[in-house]
Amino acid sequence: MEGFEHLGFLLQFGDKGSEVVTLSQAAPFFANSDPDMPAAPAPATQVHDWISQNIASALEHITERISSKENGPANSSDFDVAMTDACTSSIKTSPGARGSCFIEGISKLSFVKQPSDLKGSSSVKVLNCHDSILYILAPLRYATIYGCSDATIVLGAVGKAVRVEHCERVHVITAAKRVCISNCRECVFFLGVNQRPLMVGDNHKLQVAPYNTFYSELEEHMADVGIDATINRWDETLALGVVDPHDSLSHPAGVPDVQAEPVARVDPDQFTNFLIPNWFGAESPGSTKDNPFQLPEAYLASQQRNIKNLGETKKLLREAPLEENQKRELSSALHLLFKDWLYASGNVRQLYCLQGD
């Protein structure tokens, strides 16, 4: 029964509005086990047949609901929809009011999407985007980030799960119920997550940190999809299994099984808030004024030190006994250094985006 329960990472029983039950409670071969006694083992074939039947039944049920929704009046029912039938464009939305949105091939841009831009889609896939900053500020059920590199991707509120796969040097900022990270390298994840982040496959040099941003409608979007801001398990990562020694892309033949690399925490002294420009402030007067997730003490102390240091530096500059020509030289030097940092960090694209709007 203990091994069977591990499948709970992939399968759950229970509908919206009802309590989710464990697999062993739902399955007939463990349901009547004496809690004071070890459960008797069940044959693997019996378990396999039961799971297959339930998956087939669930898929048939979902298909019927999708069909009735497409042929009947629109309503607000909430159910899983397969990510299929996308139309052509860099942003592609599948049919149905609760379909899927594909964002593909964004390169060297700042890219912003809000709920009105997603046409009611409940799922988003971000595919093969590079060297860009993407803001997807909407309530979603599922989000997938696949094959991206050298990008910063901000996801609004994701009520079911976020999956990040085959990405390199990507920063992901998200508030989510669940996060699964697979086969990624040198990525940093700023998380407000209600369940333990899962690490699957061959990951290298990953870092995690507390959630570090907000936008005006964030708390409304979190409430829409059921994310609890009082629970953040960002640093309780769970590695599932060992690295596959037969994966020729990552390991030469004959390398023994090795445990997955541990995930590092971002040093509190390197932690900074991420500012989302308020492009549409007049159109979306939300109530969120600050990060809804409480920062751990070390990160909060570092943030307060940075604010204090900034204030002291501004005061020193204001009170410095400089002649007018010296003040102009100092101002020019600061502007030059800031410009160099903008280009080196890639943040200059955000200024271009703001200037374009």
Side-chain angles (χ1 to χ4, degrees), residues 324-343:
E324 283 302 317
N325 63 326
Q326 292 175 317
K327 289 182 179 180
R328 285 194 295 270
E329 290 177 5
L330 177 60
S331 178
S332 296
L334 289 173
H335 279 90
L336 182 61
L337 289 170
F338 181 58
K339 183 178 179 181
D340 290 343
W341 174 81
L342 283 174
Y343 280 97

mmCIF file with all atom_site columns, all heavy atoms in Angstrom, residues 324-343:
data_model
loop_
_atom_site.group_PDB
_atom_site.id
_atom_site.type_symbol
_atom_site.label_atom_id
_atom_site.label_alt_id
_atom_site.label_comp_id
_atom_site.label_asym_id
_atom_site.label_entity_id
_atom_site.label_seq_id
_atom_site.pdbx_PDB_ins_code
_atom_site.Cartn_x
_atom_site.Cartn_y
_atom_site.Cartn_z
_atom_site.occupancy
_atom_site.B_iso_or_equiv
_atom_site.pdbx_formal_charge
_atom_site.auth_seq_id
_atom_site.auth_comp_id
_atom_site.auth_asym_id
_atom_site.auth_atom_id
_atom_site.pdbx_PDB_model_num
ATOM 1   N N   . GLU A 1 324 ? 28.963 72.384 -8.321  1.00 0.00 ? 324 GLU A N   1
ATOM 2   C CA  . GLU A 1 324 ? 27.967 72.034 -9.336  1.00 0.00 ? 324 GLU A CA  1
ATOM 3   C C   . GLU A 1 324 ? 28.558 71.160 -10.434 1.00 0.00 ? 324 GLU A C   1
ATOM 4   O O   . GLU A 1 324 ? 27.942 70.210 -10.884 1.00 0.00 ? 324 GLU A O   1
ATOM 5   C CB  . GLU A 1 324 ? 27.367 73.307 -9.939  1.00 0.00 ? 324 GLU A CB  1
ATOM 6   C CG  . GLU A 1 324 ? 26.353 74.000 -9.056  1.00 0.00 ? 324 GLU A CG  1
ATOM 7   C CD  . GLU A 1 324 ? 25.193 73.099 -8.690  1.00 0.00 ? 324 GLU A CD  1
ATOM 8   O OE1 . GLU A 1 324 ? 24.704 72.383 -9.588  1.00 0.00 ? 324 GLU A OE1 1
ATOM 9   O OE2 . GLU A 1 324 ? 24.776 73.087 -7.521  1.00 0.00 ? 324 GLU A OE2 1
ATOM 10  N N   . ASN A 1 325 ? 29.785 71.491 -10.870 1.00 0.00 ? 325 ASN A N   1
ATOM 11  C CA  . ASN A 1 325 ? 30.403 70.682 -11.927 1.00 0.00 ? 325 ASN A CA  1
ATOM 12  C C   . ASN A 1 325 ? 30.713 69.272 -11.427 1.00 0.00 ? 325 ASN A C   1
ATOM 13  O O   . ASN A 1 325 ? 30.615 68.285 -12.163 1.00 0.00 ? 325 ASN A O   1
ATOM 14  C CB  . ASN A 1 325 ? 31.660 71.359 -12.448 1.00 0.00 ? 325 ASN A CB  1
ATOM 15  C CG  . ASN A 1 325 ? 32.722 71.504 -11.382 1.00 0.00 ? 325 ASN A CG  1
ATOM 16  O OD1 . ASN A 1 325 ? 32.411 71.698 -10.202 1.00 0.00 ? 325 ASN A OD1 1
ATOM 17  N ND2 . ASN A 1 325 ? 33.995 71.421 -11.784 1.00 0.00 ? 325 ASN A ND2 1
ATOM 18  N N   . GLN A 1 326 ? 31.075 69.145 -10.135 1.00 0.00 ? 326 GLN A N   1
ATOM 19  C CA  . GLN A 1 326 ? 31.320 67.810 -9.566  1.00 0.00 ? 326 GLN A CA  1
ATOM 20  C C   . GLN A 1 326 ? 30.034 67.003 -9.460  1.00 0.00 ? 326 GLN A C   1
ATOM 21  O O   . GLN A 1 326 ? 30.025 65.788 -9.687  1.00 0.00 ? 326 GLN A O   1
ATOM 22  C CB  . GLN A 1 326 ? 31.973 67.960 -8.191  1.00 0.00 ? 326 GLN A CB  1
ATOM 23  C CG  . GLN A 1 326 ? 33.383 68.518 -8.220  1.00 0.00 ? 326 GLN A CG  1
ATOM 24  C CD  . GLN A 1 326 ? 33.937 68.758 -6.833  1.00 0.00 ? 326 GLN A CD  1
ATOM 25  O OE1 . GLN A 1 326 ? 33.239 69.269 -5.957  1.00 0.00 ? 326 GLN A OE1 1
ATOM 26  N NE2 . GLN A 1 326 ? 35.209 68.374 -6.620  1.00 0.00 ? 326 GLN A NE2 1
ATOM 27  N N   . LYS A 1 327 ? 28.935 67.669 -9.111  1.00 0.00 ? 327 LYS A N   1
ATOM 28  C CA  . LYS A 1 327 ? 27.639 66.978 -9.059  1.00 0.00 ? 327 LYS A CA  1
ATOM 29  C C   . LYS A 1 327 ? 27.241 66.461 -10.443 1.00 0.00 ? 327 LYS A C   1
ATOM 30  O O   . LYS A 1 327 ? 26.718 65.350 -10.577 1.00 0.00 ? 327 LYS A O   1
ATOM 31  C CB  . LYS A 1 327 ? 26.565 67.917 -8.524  1.00 0.00 ? 327 LYS A CB  1
ATOM 32  C CG  . LYS A 1 327 ? 26.692 68.230 -7.031  1.00 0.00 ? 327 LYS A CG  1
ATOM 33  C CD  . LYS A 1 327 ? 25.567 69.133 -6.558  1.00 0.00 ? 327 LYS A CD  1
ATOM 34  C CE  . LYS A 1 327 ? 25.685 69.408 -5.062  1.00 0.00 ? 327 LYS A CE  1
ATOM 35  N NZ  . LYS A 1 327 ? 24.602 70.286 -4.566  1.00 0.00 ? 327 LYS A NZ  1
ATOM 36  N N   . ARG A 1 328 ? 27.506 67.283 -11.463 1.00 0.00 ? 328 ARG A N   1
ATOM 37  C CA  . ARG A 1 328 ? 27.176 66.842 -12.828 1.00 0.00 ? 328 ARG A CA  1
ATOM 38  C C   . ARG A 1 328 ? 28.029 65.648 -13.234 1.00 0.00 ? 328 ARG A C   1
ATOM 39  O O   . ARG A 1 328 ? 27.545 64.710 -13.873 1.00 0.00 ? 328 ARG A O   1
ATOM 40  C CB  . ARG A 1 328 ? 27.365 68.006 -13.797 1.00 0.00 ? 328 ARG A CB  1
ATOM 41  C CG  . ARG A 1 328 ? 26.265 69.063 -13.720 1.00 0.00 ? 328 ARG A CG  1
ATOM 42  C CD  . ARG A 1 328 ? 26.318 69.988 -14.916 1.00 0.00 ? 328 ARG A CD  1
ATOM 43  N NE  . ARG A 1 328 ? 27.548 70.765 -14.927 1.00 0.00 ? 328 ARG A NE  1
ATOM 44  C CZ  . ARG A 1 328 ? 27.676 71.961 -14.340 1.00 0.00 ? 328 ARG A CZ  1
ATOM 45  N NH1 . ARG A 1 328 ? 26.641 72.500 -13.698 1.00 0.00 ? 328 ARG A NH1 1
ATOM 46  N NH2 . ARG A 1 328 ? 28.829 72.626 -14.394 1.00 0.00 ? 328 ARG A NH2 1
ATOM 47  N N   . GLU A 1 329 ? 29.308 65.668 -12.864 1.00 0.00 ? 329 GLU A N   1
ATOM 48  C CA  . GLU A 1 329 ? 30.189 64.542 -13.189 1.00 0.00 ? 329 GLU A CA  1
ATOM 49  C C   . GLU A 1 329 ? 29.733 63.267 -12.476 1.00 0.00 ? 329 GLU A C   1
ATOM 50  O O   . GLU A 1 329 ? 29.738 62.178 -13.060 1.00 0.00 ? 329 GLU A O   1
ATOM 51  C CB  . GLU A 1 329 ? 31.627 64.886 -12.788 1.00 0.00 ? 329 GLU A CB  1
ATOM 52  C CG  . GLU A 1 329 ? 32.277 65.945 -13.660 1.00 0.00 ? 329 GLU A CG  1
ATOM 53  C CD  . GLU A 1 329 ? 33.675 66.296 -13.179 1.00 0.00 ? 329 GLU A CD  1
ATOM 54  O OE1 . GLU A 1 329 ? 34.156 65.632 -12.210 1.00 0.00 ? 329 GLU A OE1 1
ATOM 55  O OE2 . GLU A 1 329 ? 34.284 67.227 -13.742 1.00 0.00 ? 329 GLU A OE2 1
ATOM 56  N N   . LEU A 1 330 ? 29.356 63.405 -11.191 1.00 0.00 ? 330 LEU A N   1
ATOM 57  C CA  . LEU A 1 330 ? 28.882 62.250 -10.437 1.00 0.00 ? 330 LEU A CA  1
ATOM 58  C C   . LEU A 1 330 ? 27.596 61.698 -11.051 1.00 0.00 ? 330 LEU A C   1
ATOM 59  O O   . LEU A 1 330 ? 27.437 60.475 -11.209 1.00 0.00 ? 330 LEU A O   1
ATOM 60  C CB  . LEU A 1 330 ? 28.640 62.636 -8.984  1.00 0.00 ? 330 LEU A CB  1
ATOM 61  C CG  . LEU A 1 330 ? 28.071 61.538 -8.069  1.00 0.00 ? 330 LEU A CG  1
ATOM 62  C CD1 . LEU A 1 330 ? 29.005 60.342 -8.022  1.00 0.00 ? 330 LEU A CD1 1
ATOM 63  C CD2 . LEU A 1 330 ? 27.811 62.075 -6.666  1.00 0.00 ? 330 LEU A CD2 1
ATOM 64  N N   . SER A 1 331 ? 26.674 62.590 -11.413 1.00 0.00 ? 331 SER A N   1
ATOM 65  C CA  . SER A 1 331 ? 25.424 62.157 -12.023 1.00 0.00 ? 331 SER A CA  1
ATOM 66  C C   . SER A 1 331 ? 25.678 61.428 -13.339 1.00 0.00 ? 331 SER A C   1
ATOM 67  O O   . SER A 1 331 ? 25.078 60.380 -13.618 1.00 0.00 ? 331 SER A O   1
ATOM 68  C CB  . SER A 1 331 ? 24.520 63.374 -12.251 1.00 0.00 ? 331 SER A CB  1
ATOM 69  O OG  . SER A 1 331 ? 23.322 62.994 -12.876 1.00 0.00 ? 331 SER A OG  1
ATOM 70  N N   . SER A 1 332 ? 26.599 61.944 -14.140 1.00 0.00 ? 332 SER A N   1
ATOM 71  C CA  . SER A 1 332 ? 26.920 61.301 -15.420 1.00 0.00 ? 332 SER A CA  1
ATOM 72  C C   . SER A 1 332 ? 27.526 59.918 -15.201 1.00 0.00 ? 332 SER A C   1
ATOM 73  O O   . SER A 1 332 ? 27.203 58.963 -15.924 1.00 0.00 ? 332 SER A O   1
ATOM 74  C CB  . SER A 1 332 ? 27.891 62.173 -16.212 1.00 0.00 ? 332 SER A CB  1
ATOM 75  O OG  . SER A 1 332 ? 27.293 63.406 -16.547 1.00 0.00 ? 332 SER A OG  1
ATOM 76  N N   . ALA A 1 333 ? 28.398 59.805 -14.193 1.00 0.00 ? 333 ALA A N   1
ATOM 77  C CA  . ALA A 1 333 ? 29.028 58.513 -13.910 1.00 0.00 ? 333 ALA A CA  1
ATOM 78  C C   . ALA A 1 333 ? 27.988 57.490 -13.463 1.00 0.00 ? 333 ALA A C   1
ATOM 79  O O   . ALA A 1 333 ? 28.010 56.322 -13.890 1.00 0.00 ? 333 ALA A O   1
ATOM 80  C CB  . ALA A 1 333 ? 30.096 58.689 -12.837 1.00 0.00 ? 333 ALA A CB  1
ATOM 81  N N   . LEU A 1 334 ? 27.039 57.917 -12.600 1.00 0.00 ? 334 LEU A N   1
ATOM 82  C CA  . LEU A 1 334 ? 25.988 57.000 -12.138 1.00 0.00 ? 334 LEU A CA  1
ATOM 83  C C   . LEU A 1 334 ? 25.106 56.551 -13.293 1.00 0.00 ? 334 LEU A C   1
ATOM 84  O O   . LEU A 1 334 ? 24.758 55.372 -13.407 1.00 0.00 ? 334 LEU A O   1
ATOM 85  C CB  . LEU A 1 334 ? 25.145 57.679 -11.054 1.00 0.00 ? 334 LEU A CB  1
ATOM 86  C CG  . LEU A 1 334 ? 25.825 57.896 -9.708  1.00 0.00 ? 334 LEU A CG  1
ATOM 87  C CD1 . LEU A 1 334 ? 24.947 58.721 -8.782  1.00 0.00 ? 334 LEU A CD1 1
ATOM 88  C CD2 . LEU A 1 334 ? 26.182 56.568 -9.055  1.00 0.00 ? 334 LEU A CD2 1
ATOM 89  N N   . HIS A 1 335 ? 24.734 57.493 -14.170 1.00 0.00 ? 335 HIS A N   1
ATOM 90  C CA  . HIS A 1 335 ? 23.906 57.139 -15.318 1.00 0.00 ? 335 HIS A CA  1
ATOM 91  C C   . HIS A 1 335 ? 24.634 56.173 -16.252 1.00 0.00 ? 335 HIS A C   1
ATOM 92  O O   . HIS A 1 335 ? 24.023 55.241 -16.790 1.00 0.00 ? 335 HIS A O   1
ATOM 93  C CB  . HIS A 1 335 ? 23.500 58.403 -16.090 1.00 0.00 ? 335 HIS A CB  1
ATOM 94  C CG  . HIS A 1 335 ? 22.343 59.117 -15.486 1.00 0.00 ? 335 HIS A CG  1
ATOM 95  N ND1 . HIS A 1 335 ? 22.497 60.110 -14.532 1.00 0.00 ? 335 HIS A ND1 1
ATOM 96  C CD2 . HIS A 1 335 ? 21.003 58.984 -15.657 1.00 0.00 ? 335 HIS A CD2 1
ATOM 97  C CE1 . HIS A 1 335 ? 21.312 60.560 -14.171 1.00 0.00 ? 335 HIS A CE1 1
ATOM 98  N NE2 . HIS A 1 335 ? 20.393 59.895 -14.821 1.00 0.00 ? 335 HIS A NE2 1
ATOM 99  N N   . LEU A 1 336 ? 25.931 56.366 -16.446 1.00 0.00 ? 336 LEU A N   1
ATOM 100 C CA  . LEU A 1 336 ? 26.702 55.492 -17.317 1.00 0.00 ? 336 LEU A CA  1
ATOM 101 C C   . LEU A 1 336 ? 26.783 54.077 -16.746 1.00 0.00 ? 336 LEU A C   1
ATOM 102 O O   . LEU A 1 336 ? 26.596 53.082 -17.470 1.00 0.00 ? 336 LEU A O   1
ATOM 103 C CB  . LEU A 1 336 ? 28.106 56.064 -17.506 1.00 0.00 ? 336 LEU A CB  1
ATOM 104 C CG  . LEU A 1 336 ? 29.031 55.269 -18.448 1.00 0.00 ? 336 LEU A CG  1
ATOM 105 C CD1 . LEU A 1 336 ? 28.428 55.204 -19.849 1.00 0.00 ? 336 LEU A CD1 1
ATOM 106 C CD2 . LEU A 1 336 ? 30.416 55.891 -18.481 1.00 0.00 ? 336 LEU A CD2 1
ATOM 107 N N   . LEU A 1 337 ? 27.041 53.983 -15.438 1.00 0.00 ? 337 LEU A N   1
ATOM 108 C CA  . LEU A 1 337 ? 27.098 52.667 -14.801 1.00 0.00 ? 337 LEU A CA  1
ATOM 109 C C   . LEU A 1 337 ? 25.741 51.966 -14.859 1.00 0.00 ? 337 LEU A C   1
ATOM 110 O O   . LEU A 1 337 ? 25.656 50.748 -15.072 1.00 0.00 ? 337 LEU A O   1
ATOM 111 C CB  . LEU A 1 337 ? 27.556 52.808 -13.346 1.00 0.00 ? 337 LEU A CB  1
ATOM 112 C CG  . LEU A 1 337 ? 29.024 53.192 -13.149 1.00 0.00 ? 337 LEU A CG  1
ATOM 113 C CD1 . LEU A 1 337 ? 29.288 53.533 -11.690 1.00 0.00 ? 337 LEU A CD1 1
ATOM 114 C CD2 . LEU A 1 337 ? 29.942 52.066 -13.606 1.00 0.00 ? 337 LEU A CD2 1
ATOM 115 N N   . PHE A 1 338 ? 24.663 52.728 -14.638 1.00 0.00 ? 338 PHE A N   1
ATOM 116 C CA  . PHE A 1 338 ? 23.320 52.151 -14.704 1.00 0.00 ? 338 PHE A CA  1
ATOM 117 C C   . PHE A 1 338 ? 23.014 51.655 -16.118 1.00 0.00 ? 338 PHE A C   1
ATOM 118 O O   . PHE A 1 338 ? 22.448 50.574 -16.306 1.00 0.00 ? 338 PHE A O   1
ATOM 119 C CB  . PHE A 1 338 ? 22.295 53.197 -14.276 1.00 0.00 ? 338 PHE A CB  1
ATOM 120 C CG  . PHE A 1 338 ? 20.871 52.682 -14.287 1.00 0.00 ? 338 PHE A CG  1
ATOM 121 C CD1 . PHE A 1 338 ? 20.495 51.579 -13.532 1.00 0.00 ? 338 PHE A CD1 1
ATOM 122 C CD2 . PHE A 1 338 ? 19.903 53.305 -15.064 1.00 0.00 ? 338 PHE A CD2 1
ATOM 123 C CE1 . PHE A 1 338 ? 19.193 51.104 -13.542 1.00 0.00 ? 338 PHE A CE1 1
ATOM 124 C CE2 . PHE A 1 338 ? 18.601 52.834 -15.084 1.00 0.00 ? 338 PHE A CE2 1
ATOM 125 C CZ  . PHE A 1 338 ? 18.245 51.742 -14.318 1.00 0.00 ? 338 PHE A CZ  1
ATOM 126 N N   . LYS A 1 339 ? 23.414 52.417 -17.120 1.00 0.00 ? 339 LYS A N   1
ATOM 127 C CA  . LYS A 1 339 ? 23.201 52.004 -18.514 1.00 0.00 ? 339 LYS A CA  1
ATOM 128 C C   . LYS A 1 339 ? 23.961 50.719 -18.810 1.00 0.00 ? 339 LYS A C   1
ATOM 129 O O   . LYS A 1 339 ? 23.426 49.799 -19.456 1.00 0.00 ? 339 LYS A O   1
ATOM 130 C CB  . LYS A 1 339 ? 23.649 53.126 -19.447 1.00 0.00 ? 339 LYS A CB  1
ATOM 131 C CG  . LYS A 1 339 ? 23.414 52.846 -20.915 1.00 0.00 ? 339 LYS A CG  1
ATOM 132 C CD  . LYS A 1 339 ? 23.848 54.030 -21.774 1.00 0.00 ? 339 LYS A CD  1
ATOM 133 C CE  . LYS A 1 339 ? 23.646 53.738 -23.252 1.00 0.00 ? 339 LYS A CE  1
ATOM 134 N NZ  . LYS A 1 339 ? 24.091 54.884 -24.095 1.00 0.00 ? 339 LYS A NZ  1
ATOM 135 N N   . ASP A 1 340 ? 25.218 50.650 -18.343 1.00 0.00 ? 340 ASP A N   1
ATOM 136 C CA  . ASP A 1 340 ? 26.002 49.424 -18.549 1.00 0.00 ? 340 ASP A CA  1
ATOM 137 C C   . ASP A 1 340 ? 25.310 48.231 -17.909 1.00 0.00 ? 340 ASP A C   1
ATOM 138 O O   . ASP A 1 340 ? 25.275 47.126 -18.480 1.00 0.00 ? 340 ASP A O   1
ATOM 139 C CB  . ASP A 1 340 ? 27.410 49.593 -17.958 1.00 0.00 ? 340 ASP A CB  1
ATOM 140 C CG  . ASP A 1 340 ? 28.267 50.578 -18.744 1.00 0.00 ? 340 ASP A CG  1
ATOM 141 O OD1 . ASP A 1 340 ? 27.901 50.882 -19.901 1.00 0.00 ? 340 ASP A OD1 1
ATOM 142 O OD2 . ASP A 1 340 ? 29.279 51.053 -18.193 1.00 0.00 ? 340 ASP A OD2 1
ATOM 143 N N   . TRP A 1 341 ? 24.772 48.423 -16.690 1.00 0.00 ? 341 TRP A N   1
ATOM 144 C CA  . TRP A 1 341 ? 24.073 47.324 -16.010 1.00 0.00 ? 341 TRP A CA  1
ATOM 145 C C   . TRP A 1 341 ? 22.820 46.909 -16.772 1.00 0.00 ? 341 TRP A C   1
ATOM 146 O O   . TRP A 1 341 ? 22.518 45.711 -16.893 1.00 0.00 ? 341 TRP A O   1
ATOM 147 C CB  . TRP A 1 341 ? 23.704 47.748 -14.593 1.00 0.00 ? 341 TRP A CB  1
ATOM 148 C CG  . TRP A 1 341 ? 22.852 46.727 -13.898 1.00 0.00 ? 341 TRP A CG  1
ATOM 149 C CD1 . TRP A 1 341 ? 23.272 45.583 -13.276 1.00 0.00 ? 341 TRP A CD1 1
ATOM 150 C CD2 . TRP A 1 341 ? 21.423 46.736 -13.780 1.00 0.00 ? 341 TRP A CD2 1
ATOM 151 N NE1 . TRP A 1 341 ? 22.197 44.889 -12.777 1.00 0.00 ? 341 TRP A NE1 1
ATOM 152 C CE2 . TRP A 1 341 ? 21.046 45.569 -13.079 1.00 0.00 ? 341 TRP A CE2 1
ATOM 153 C CE3 . TRP A 1 341 ? 20.436 47.618 -14.201 1.00 0.00 ? 341 TRP A CE3 1
ATOM 154 C CZ2 . TRP A 1 341 ? 19.728 45.268 -12.795 1.00 0.00 ? 341 TRP A CZ2 1
ATOM 155 C CZ3 . TRP A 1 341 ? 19.120 47.315 -13.922 1.00 0.00 ? 341 TRP A CZ3 1
ATOM 156 C CH2 . TRP A 1 341 ? 18.764 46.158 -13.222 1.00 0.00 ? 341 TRP A CH2 1
ATOM 157 N N   . LEU A 1 342 ? 22.068 47.882 -17.308 1.00 0.00 ? 342 LEU A N   1
ATOM 158 C CA  . LEU A 1 342 ? 20.860 47.566 -18.070 1.00 0.00 ? 342 LEU A CA  1
ATOM 159 C C   . LEU A 1 342 ? 21.177 46.656 -19.249 1.00 0.00 ? 342 LEU A C   1
ATOM 160 O O   . LEU A 1 342 ? 20.487 45.666 -19.492 1.00 0.00 ? 342 LEU A O   1
ATOM 161 C CB  . LEU A 1 342 ? 20.194 48.846 -18.571 1.00 0.00 ? 342 LEU A CB  1
ATOM 162 C CG  . LEU A 1 342 ? 19.396 49.664 -17.559 1.00 0.00 ? 342 LEU A CG  1
ATOM 163 C CD1 . LEU A 1 342 ? 18.937 50.973 -18.199 1.00 0.00 ? 342 LEU A CD1 1
ATOM 164 C CD2 . LEU A 1 342 ? 18.196 48.889 -17.050 1.00 0.00 ? 342 LEU A CD2 1
ATOM 165 N N   . TYR A 1 343 ? 22.245 46.980 -19.982 1.00 0.00 ? 343 TYR A N   1
ATOM 166 C CA  . TYR A 1 343 ? 22.597 46.164 -21.142 1.00 0.00 ? 343 TYR A CA  1
ATOM 167 C C   . TYR A 1 343 ? 23.163 44.809 -20.727 1.00 0.00 ? 343 TYR A C   1
ATOM 168 O O   . TYR A 1 343 ? 22.847 43.779 -21.335 1.00 0.00 ? 343 TYR A O   1
ATOM 169 C CB  . TYR A 1 343 ? 23.609 46.910 -22.020 1.00 0.00 ? 343 TYR A CB  1
ATOM 170 C CG  . TYR A 1 343 ? 22.965 47.938 -22.916 1.00 0.00 ? 343 TYR A CG  1
ATOM 171 C CD1 . TYR A 1 343 ? 22.926 49.275 -22.551 1.00 0.00 ? 343 TYR A CD1 1
ATOM 172 C CD2 . TYR A 1 343 ? 22.375 47.567 -24.129 1.00 0.00 ? 343 TYR A CD2 1
ATOM 173 C CE1 . TYR A 1 343 ? 22.323 50.230 -23.363 1.00 0.00 ? 343 TYR A CE1 1
ATOM 174 C CE2 . TYR A 1 343 ? 21.771 48.509 -24.948 1.00 0.00 ? 343 TYR A CE2 1
ATOM 175 C CZ  . TYR A 1 343 ? 21.753 49.835 -24.568 1.00 0.00 ? 343 TYR A CZ  1
ATOM 176 O OH  . TYR A 1 343 ? 21.145 50.770 -25.372 1.00 0.00 ? 343 TYR A OH  1
#
